[in-house]
């Protein structure tokens, strides 16, 4: 019996990925300068326009998916005889996953012969996207819906997230660092290095001096924690309108570790509202987060 893989727009995956693999996603909404948008192919604002507005001092706020939105999104698949494996944005960063799980329970009552499984990815941005990639590869190999869900639960805490931001003030607004640290760090050119922990929260791990130092720190974190097969892994990099520096990171990884498969994509507006322009994030499978 077939099943559909679905996810959230917070995966930050390229649109071609969804089209080529026939994966559907539900868009999260954000409000910028008093106007509301929803992430997706018809978003109404380009990535560069979004980040330029943030650089110009505009504020962006985000909204989680509600239960009605989730059931409306999933129900057509159930009606056409498909079960659904939904990979959700980290519960440590949003209430979206809880809404999806409540929606799945409602749909279970309405469609008792269908199955909807919601996996809390405990991931964000292309970390969530990389988990979706592995789920699709597992499906291609013939894993059942339940086998695939079990694999995701077993392996999601090996999906490493390492990232750095260019402006600490965006993290301050999101409650990640206090104002004094943000102002002091910005004046001194301090760039934080963060990761997503086992509960799906953002954690400040260390600080690097300058932009080049923070990019080198990401390379070092991968070298310290990646699985032995890292050369042959799929590695993802996402960025907040700083493609040149994301490509610098990719080049350093190829040179230092010999990684062959690297995908680079934009950080979408929902994640970018909290991380800001100039964010660079690195995702791969490792021994532990």
């Amino acid at each position: 019996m077939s099943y559909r893989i679905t996810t959230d727009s917070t995966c930050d995956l390229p649109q071609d990925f969804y089209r080529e693999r026939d994966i559907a996603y539900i868009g999260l909404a954000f409000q910028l300068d008093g106007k509301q948008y929803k992430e997706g192919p018809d978003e109404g604002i380009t990535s560069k326009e979004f980040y330029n507005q943030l650089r110009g001092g505009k504020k962006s706020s985000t909204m989680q998916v509600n239960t009605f939105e989730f059931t409306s999104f999933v129900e057509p698949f159930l009606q056409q005889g498909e079960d659904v494996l939904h990979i959700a944005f980290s519960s440590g960063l949003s209430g979206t996953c809880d809404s999806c799980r409540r929606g799945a329970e409602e749909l279970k009552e309405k469609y008792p012969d269908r199955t909807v499984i919601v996996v809390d990815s405990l991931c964000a941005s292309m970390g969530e996207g990389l988990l979706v990639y592995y789920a699709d590869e597992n499906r291609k190999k013939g894993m059942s819906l339940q086998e695939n869900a079990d694999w995701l639960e077993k392996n999601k805490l090996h999906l490493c997230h390492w990232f750095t931001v260019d402006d600490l003030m965006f993290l301050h607004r999101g409650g990640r660092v206090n104002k004094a640290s943000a102002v002091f760090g910005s004046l001194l050119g301090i760039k934080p290095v963060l990761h997503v922990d086992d509960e799906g929260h953002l954690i400040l791990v260390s600080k690097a001096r300058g932009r080049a130092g923070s990019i080198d720190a990401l390379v070092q974190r991968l070298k310290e924690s990646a699985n032995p097969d890292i050369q042959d892994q799929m590695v993802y990099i996402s960025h907040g309108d700083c493609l040149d520096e994301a490509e610098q990171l990719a080049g350093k990884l190829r040179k230092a570790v010999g990684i062959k498969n690297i995908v680079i994509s934009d950080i979408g507006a929902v994640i970018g509202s909290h991380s800001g322009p100039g964010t660079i994030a690195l995702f791969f499978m490792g021994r532990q987060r």
Side-chain angles (χ1 to χ4, degrees):
M1 189 176 294
S2 66
Y3 63 96
R4 168 83 57 161
I5 294 174
T6 63
T7 189
D8 313 315
S9 61
T10 46
C11 284
D12 292 340
L13 289 163
Q15 291 299 317
D16 287 349
F17 179 96
Y18 299 111
R19 285 192 293 267
E20 292 168 2
R21 293 174 179 262
D22 195 24
I23 291 173
Y25 68 90
I26 184 168
L28 272 70
F30 62 98
Q31 186 166 303
L32 177 66
D33 196 29
K35 185 175 180 180
Q36 186 166 318
Y37 303 85
K38 179 170 283 193
E39 285 190 316
D42 302 318
E43 196 166 297
I45 185 171
T46 68
S47 178
K48 184 163 287 293
E49 288 170 343
F50 170 76
Y51 282 110
N52 280 341
Q53 290 208 40
L54 291 190
R55 291 185 180 103
K58 302 296 184 183
K59 300 287 184 12
S60 178
S61 59
T62 60
M63 286 144 272
Q64 68 186 49
V65 167
N66 62 44
T67 301
F68 175 75
E69 287 174 315
F70 180 76
T71 56
S72 300
F73 166 69
V74 168
E75 191 166 17
F77 303 124
L78 307 182
Q79 291 173 340
Q80 62 193 29
E82 291 183 293
D83 295 328
V84 173
L85 173 60
H86 184 79
I87 301 167
F89 185 27
S90 172
S91 63
L93 297 171
S94 170
T96 292
C97 183
D98 289 338
S99 296
C100 295
R101 284 181 164 164
R102 287 194 298 271
E105 288 300 315
E106 291 182 11
L107 291 168
K108 183 178 180 180
E109 295 180 7
K110 190 173 181 180
Y111 298 90
D113 295 330
R114 298 266 63 85
T115 301
V116 179
I117 296 179
V118 175
V119 173
D120 181 357
S121 70
L122 297 176
C123 297
S125 190
M126 288 185 81
E128 183 184 359
L130 190 52
L131 205 63
V132 172
Y133 163 81
Y134 281 113
D136 189 52
E137 292 297 298
N138 290 340
R139 180 176 59 173
K140 289 178 180 177
K141 293 173 185 175
M143 277 193 189
S144 69
L145 187 155
Q146 189 61 60
E147 289 170 338
N148 207 345
D150 291 343
W151 187 96
L152 295 174
E153 292 290 353
K154 181 180 179 180
N155 288 277
K156 66 187 182 184
L157 295 184
H158 292 282
L159 211 159
C160 301
H161 300 54
W162 289 100
F163 68 102
T164 185
V165 300
D166 193 41
D167 186 346
L168 283 161
M169 292 306 295
F170 286 94
L171 290 177
H172 161 63
R173 291 179 196 133
R176 301 303 170 189
V177 297
N178 63 44
K179 187 172 184 179
S181 295
V183 172
F184 187 66
S186 297
L187 289 173
L188 293 179
I190 298 297
K191 306 300 179 185
V193 176
L194 305 95
H195 84 136
V196 175
D197 68 8
D198 286 357
E199 285 75 48
H201 301 118
L202 303 184
I203 302 296
L204 177 61
V205 176
S206 63
K207 299 174 184 176
R209 181 60 66 98
R211 188 64 158 174
S214 66
I215 293 174
D216 288 341
L218 298 182
V219 176
Q220 185 60 34
R221 291 292 180 177
L222 179 140
K223 291 168 71 175
E224 291 171 353
S225 59
N227 286 337
D229 66 347
I230 186 63
Q231 291 182 343
D232 300 315
Q233 274 191 41
M234 182 66 73
V235 172
Y236 281 177
I237 296 171
S238 60
H239 67 93
D241 195 31
C242 52
L243 178 59
D244 288 348
E245 290 168 309
E247 290 177 339
Q248 287 178 30
L249 173 59
K252 288 176 179 287
L253 291 170
R254 292 187 182 101
K255 183 176 180 180
V257 191
I259 298 171
K260 305 178 186 72
N261 302 309
I262 300 176
V263 175
I264 300 174
S265 186
D266 295 334
I267 295 174
V270 169
I271 301 294
S273 295
H274 303 284
S275 59
T279 300
I280 303 177
L282 173 64
F283 311 96
F284 57 92
M285 295 298 285
R287 293 184 294 277
Q288 62 183 28
R289 287 195 171 184

